[in-house]
Structures are given as structure tokens and as C-alpha cells.
Amino acid sequence: MARGGQGEPTDWVTRAADDAIRHAAGADRVITCSSGASPSGPVHLGNLREFLTPHFVAEELHRRGVPARHLHVWDDFDRFRKVPAGVDPSWADHIGRPLSAVPDPWDCHASWAEHFKAPLRDALHAMGVDMEEVSQTERYGAGVYREQVLLAVRHRDDIDAVLAKYRTKKREPASEQEAEELTESVVEDEDVDSEAGAGLERFPFKPYCRQCGRDTTHITSFDDETTDLAYTCTSDGFAGVTNLATQDEGKLVWKVDWPMRWAFEQVDFEPAGMDHATPGSSFTVGHELVETVFGMPRPAWFGYAFVGFAGVQKMSSSTGGVPTAADALRVLEAPILRWLYVRRQPKQAFNIDFGPEVVRLYDEWDALGRKAADPSKRDAAVLAFERASETASAGRLPTPRVVVPFRTLSSVADVTAGSAALISQVIGHVGHAHESVDDLEPRLDKAMAWTAEFVPESDRTIVRTSPDKDRLASLSAQESKWLSLLLGNLPAELDVEPVTSLVYGVPKLARGQDLDDAPTDEVKADQKEFFRLLYNLLVGKDRGPRLPTLIVALGVDRVRSLLGSAA
Ligand SMILES: [Zn+2]
């Protein structure tokens, strides 16, 4: 479907797609929207913006019928930098080796890099993100970049001149890759002090040691004629020679690698985290290098802001407590997770809240879905809903056939603490007719997971296992009358409408009125007191989920037993 016509809503995605088309300048080729990430650890929700931003832009191009791809580059040929907490300290031996050459400490994947790629790949697939993946290990190892490496080496003085312009003081790294580039620039700065004019130390290519596989190499000579590069390794003393035209034993340094890849892949759009968008960052430097050395206009881009999280006190410890996309998908339907990212300007920071906010988020999403069903109400918010709901390759992402408010599902899951089948049965009795559990999925699963894992213990509803004998023995005359009126009128089959009318109506009956009489002020005061009594007797608290839902969920036998059927 074409976008951007007269009166069509527009958003940041529309504008970024326009920029990408402008960058391609009418060239007859597929437009490339790119992301890149180093698979050095779990990809948390903050990093997800890196993947989703080019995804949405590529999707917009697909909608317009413009040939486009989302290219994702895995920087798995980057060095392993440090051993994280929880990993055997002996892994320190691998520091300096490519992430793809470090074994998987958990023994489930071929390498460290693959261990962290796999779960993210699964989560992105579930979110309808279809990317063309590139491994820098494979690219470099297969000699794909040889010409680009030689080009960079021939232009090493030009590259150094650009780097020198931006060389900055030490500062705190804001990300993995910035830490990487600071490591590089610190090496550069130290060498400037110790070894004036030693151009080889700022060589744009770094070999991995042939003997130990680490990048702890120092270049001792380079022959422009033969392209032989000689190095020694500080880890094991190995002295070797690698030929840049015929062998593939290293990589361009990060600040040169990035612009090389933009040019090689003809990247038209690639955003970057705000931390990359500062003067002297690899991004700024790369933008200059891609034009001066690699001869391609810098990609269209913008910096995107931080995404944080809240309400995750019980998050699984496998990721160090930092939620990943897979964690978020346990609680949020895929379109809702997508919506969180697409509905905001990329420069806007936000938190994903796994606490009570989840309930409001679902309500907001359902309301937007109702609005989106009305063509006369199409605006930027509806456009965001559409972008979140379907993709070119996956079509419409899974949503429940019967939409039940998340608060109702989680409330019933909370009260019953039971199986999906039991919850489905209760949901049918509280006014949401459906044929099978499947009609409620995937939302029911997420409501059950959220209730079990994200609702604090203090907010959970714990239904009493036996009647509160003390409280039942000390009922006032009025309280006894309310309870016998309730139990005396409780039908054998509980449905939400009659139960609602009865629960609200008991105080009316007690004052000699009819069930459907309008409540007087006295009745309203009685209702408050009666409801608290019911909560006390059923769940041992002064409040809880909506009483009709609670009563239907508990079923007539448990209600009678806890309210003292003998009364
Ligand atoms: Zn070595």
C-alpha cells in the first residue's frame, strides 16, 4: 500500500524512508537500511532500538513498493574484551580473540557470539523482523573485504589525518563499541607520546596472532609493494608475516571498519545510539572516512535515545537482571512491543515498565485498535498501530481472536492460580464468550506469565484455603444478614451479570428494597462495608480484584465454604 499521498499521516519512519531514497539518488539498486551489533552479551531492550529502527524504515519502503532490505551486520569478529560476572574466570585466556572464536561457556552453541545471537534472532523472528544477516567473521575470513582492506591501507595517511582531527581526551565509554574505540584511541595516544611518528602503530588493519588467535599484536613492518605485514604478539612472543592481498588474518580497526562496510554494502540508512553521535565518535569519524576514503556519501542517519526498563525485580537472572526482547515477549504481545518503539520519536528516551503499567499499556493498545478500525480516524497514532501490527514478510502478527482486557485475564489468572483451561472457563462466565483457549492466545499466556512473575507477592490475591472462623464467629447482625442474603440467592451456575447484580444488591435487599432499585446514600455506604467483609473472608485483605469476577472465578462451592454456608 502506498504511503505519503495527500492527507496521509506521516511520522519519523516516513521521513527516514524519504531520506534513504534520497541517499540512493535514483541508483537502480535495492535500498539498504542497516543495523550492526557486537554479540558480546545479551542484547537487552535498549539495544533493540538498533534493530527495530532500520526494520521499520525498510518496512515503509516495502509498503511503497521500493526494493529494500534490512541488513544486519554482526560484529562477531570484534575482540572478546572481558569476562563477565558468572562466567568461569579461566575465560580470561580468550581475551583478545574474536567473539566467534571464544567457546560458549554454557556449552549450547558453537561460540560465544552464537550463544548471544540465537535468542535475539528468535525474539526478532517472533516480532516479524526479517533481516539479512552478515557475519564479519565470515566476511573477513572469506577475503570478501581484501580490496577494501588494501584501499584503507593505501590511504592510511589520509585516515590518520581524519582521526587526528577528532582525537579526543579520555572519557567514560557509553557503550561496548565506544569502549572498543576508546581502547583504540588510547593506544594511539600513548604511542604518539612514546614513539613519535610511528605510523605503523596507527595502522588501520590489525592482525590476529596466527599462533594464539589474540589481537595483542604489534606491527613491525609493512611492505607496500608486496603487502607483507610483519607483527609480533605480546601474548606469546610469536613473530609472523601475513599478506594482505592473499591472506585473511585480521580486520580493519573499528573506526575504519564501519565506514568500509557502509561503502561495501551501499548502506543508505543506518541510525546510531546517541552515544555514537558525538564529536570524535566512530560515527562522526566514519561519516568523514566513508566519503574521503571509500568514495560514498555518508548514509542517512539519526541518533536514537536510550530505552530503559522498570518493574523487573523478579526478572530471570540468566541475563544479569537486564531484560531482553525475549523477556519482554513473555509479557507483551509482539505488536505491542513493536508499538513501544515505533510510536515515539527516536530521540525520545523511554522506559519499558513491567509493573502495573503493563495493564494500562494493554488498555491503551486495545483502545487504539478500536480507533484503527474506523477509516475516518486515520492519523499518525493509527499509522503507528499499523506499523506495529504487520510486516511485509510475516503479515499480521499474532493477536487474540477474542480480545479480553489484560486486566481481566491477569485478574482471573491471579485468583484461580490455575490452568489456562480453567481461566478460559471463568473468562467465559465473566462476559467474554469464546470457543476455546486458543481464542484467547497469545494474550492469555502472557497474562499468566505476568501474574506469576511480575506482580509483587504483596499484590497477589491469595484465596483463603479455609474459612476465617474467628471473623465468622464475630459477625454483627447486619453482616450475618448480608451473608445469608448473598448465599440464599446465589445461583448454582455463576455468571457475571447476575452475580454483579446480587453483590451490589444484597445491601438493598437488607433494607427492604429491590435488587434493581437505585442505590441510596445509605445503601452505598453499606455496599462499601459489605465488600470489605467479602474481601476479608475470601482473600484475607480489605481489597482485591472486582468482586463479581472473584466470586465467579472461585465457583459456588468455594464461596459457600469460605462465607460459612452454615450461617
Ligand atoms: Zn599470540
Side-chain angles (χ1 to χ4, degrees):
M1 194 189 332
R3 300 279 178 219
Q6 279 296 329
E8 277 285 298
T10 60
D11 59 5
W12 65 266
V13 186
T14 321
R15 292 187 288 277
D18 291 343
D19 288 346
I21 290 174
R22 207 170 297 128
H23 183 270
D28 185 19
R29 59 173 170 80
V30 171
I31 292 188
T32 297
C33 303
S34 184
S35 52
S38 179
S40 54
V43 177
H44 58 72
L45 288 171
N47 305 132
L48 201 56
R49 217 168 199 173
E50 172 71 20
F51 296 81
L52 291 180
T53 306
H55 162 73
F56 285 122
V57 177
E59 284 294 319
E60 168 67 16
L61 293 166
H62 291 318
R63 289 174 180 221
R64 294 185 196 181
V66 177
R69 64 174 179 160
H70 173 191
L71 176 80
H72 177 70
V73 178
W74 288 111
D75 291 310
D76 55 7
F77 208 38
D78 285 3
R79 73 197 298 265
F80 179 59
R81 294 182 59 248
K82 60 175 183 220
V83 184
V87 171
D88 189 330
S90 71
W91 251 254
D93 190 47
H94 299 297
I95 288 174
R97 292 187 175 130
L99 293 165
S100 53
V102 176
D104 178 358
W106 302 274
D107 246 355
C108 41
H109 294 87
S111 70
W112 184 280
E114 293 307 316
H115 180 85
F116 291 109
K117 284 182 197 180
L120 182 79
R121 197 180 273 141
D122 292 348
L124 287 174
H125 181 74
M127 293 175 75
V129 176
D130 178 27
M131 16 178 238
E132 186 179 320
E133 292 177 59
V134 160
S135 151
Q136 289 297 72
T137 301
E138 283 171 19
R139 281 279 211 261
Y140 273 108
V144 171
Y145 297 141
R146 272 185 202 167
E147 274 182 39
Q148 283 67 32
V149 167
L150 292 171
L151 175 71
V153 167
R154 278 199 300 279
H155 285 84
R156 59 187 181 273
D157 290 341
D158 303 330
I159 291 172
D160 194 46
V162 171
L163 292 177
K165 236 173 39 178
Y166 290 106
R167 204 162 281 139
T168 49
K169 298 284 176 218
K170 291 180 193 177
R171 57 203 161 99
E172 282 302 305
S175 69
E176 274 285 316
Q177 285 185 326
E178 211 193 29
E180 187 74 16
E181 76 201 32
L182 284 176
T183 312
E184 286 171 4
S185 62
V186 169
V187 170
E188 289 159 9
D189 291 344
E190 281 166 0
D191 292 329
V192 172
D193 296 337
S194 60
E195 230 181 302
L200 287 178
E201 285 299 344
R202 289 192 220 120
F203 207 70
F205 181 89
K206 185 116 173 155
Y208 280 108
C209 171
R210 189 177 301 153
Q211 183 167 280
C212 73
R214 301 188 186 92
D215 70 345
T216 47
T217 51
H218 280 271
I219 297 170
T220 52
S221 73
F222 178 71
D223 186 328
D224 279 292
E225 288 289 305
T226 63
T227 71
D228 271 347
L229 182 147
Y231 63 90
T232 56
C233 175
T234 57
S235 293
D236 58 0
F238 182 77
V241 176
T242 185
N243 186 277
L244 299 191
T246 59
Q247 291 175 296
D248 311 292
E249 299 180 291
K251 67 185 285 288
L252 292 170
V253 297
W254 166 242
K255 279 182 177 170
V256 184
D257 181 84
W258 206 358
M260 178 279 289
R261 191 248 290 166
W262 286 332
F264 184 84
E265 300 288 356
Q266 298 190 295
V267 173
D268 296 298
F269 171 73
E270 178 160 343
M274 289 291 199
D275 53 298
H276 276 307
T278 54
S281 74
S282 49
F283 207 67
T284 322
V285 174
H287 274 172
E288 190 155 341
L289 290 180
V290 72
E291 293 177 353
T292 57
V293 175
F294 297 101
M296 194 191 91
R298 63 190 64 183
W301 74 286
F302 48 71
Y304 56 79
F306 183 75
V307 177
F309 51 87
V312 290
Q313 67 277 12
K314 291 170 81 180
M315 192 67 77
S316 71
S317 58
S318 66
T319 57
V322 181
T324 63
D327 290 323
L329 287 172
R330 291 176 54 67
V331 170
L332 301 178
E333 288 167 14
I336 300 185
L337 184 54
R338 293 166 60 84
W339 180 55
L340 288 175
Y341 289 82
V342 76
R343 69 173 168 163
R344 291 187 174 84
Q345 294 296 323
K347 282 192 168 61
Q348 196 183 342
F350 67 98
N351 278 334
I352 296 182
D353 192 329
F354 291 92
E357 199 53 43
V358 167
V359 173
R360 281 186 285 276
L361 182 66
Y362 268 93
D363 284 348
E364 211 186 324
W365 169 255
D366 289 345
L368 181 56
R370 290 189 291 273
K371 178 179 170 184
D374 179 351
S376 72
K377 291 189 174 160
R378 196 148 185 284
D379 60 8
V382 171
L383 178 60
F385 178 86
E386 293 168 355
R387 295 195 192 289
S389 300
E390 62 179 293
T391 73
S393 60
R396 286 196 75 82
L397 295 165
T399 48
R401 272 195 295 277
V402 175
V403 175
V404 177
F406 190 82
R407 70 174 71 244
T408 307
L409 289 174
S410 57
S411 177
V412 172
D414 182 31
V415 174
T416 60
S419 66
L422 175 60
I423 295 167
S424 156
Q425 201 187 330
V426 173
I427 288 295
H429 287 297
V430 296
H432 300 280
H434 60 282
E435 281 174 14
S436 72
V437 172
D438 287 349
D439 289 342
L440 306 179
E441 298 293 11
R443 188 172 291 194
L444 175 56
D445 255 357
K446 297 180 197 297
M448 290 172 74
W450 183 73
T451 307
E453 296 167 38
F454 295 88
V455 177
E457 209 56 45
S458 55
D459 291 349
R460 292 291 307 270
T461 302
I462 313 291
V463 178
R464 293 189 58 94
T465 49
S466 61
D468 185 344
K469 293 209 172 86
D470 294 345
R471 185 72 181 84
L472 286 169
S474 63
L475 293 175
S476 68
Q478 190 180 39
E479 288 172 334
S480 293
K481 189 171 182 187
W482 285 336
L483 288 184
S484 23
L485 281 169
L486 176 71
L487 295 174
N489 289 286
L490 206 58
E493 274 284 316
L494 298 185
D495 267 301
V496 77
E497 274 184 37
V499 170
T500 305
S501 144
L502 179 60
V503 164
Y504 283 83
V506 159
K508 300 178 197 170
L509 298 176
R511 288 185 178 273
Q513 299 170 355
D514 282 338
L515 275 185
D516 41 9
D517 282 352
T520 60
D521 286 348
E522 288 165 325
V523 164
K524 284 181 187 166
D526 288 354
Q527 283 172 338
K528 245 174 128 177
E529 217 178 306
F530 176 51
F531 294 169
R532 187 179 313 129
L533 172 67
L534 290 178
Y535 285 125
N536 289 165
L537 292 172
L538 295 173
V539 299
K541 286 185 179 182
D542 284 344
R543 40 191 294 192
R546 287 196 71 234
L547 274 171
T549 309
L550 178 63
I551 288 171
V552 172
L554 291 180
V556 74
D557 292 345
R558 272 178 103 189
V559 170
R560 284 191 182 283
S561 127
L562 291 173
L563 298 186
S565 52

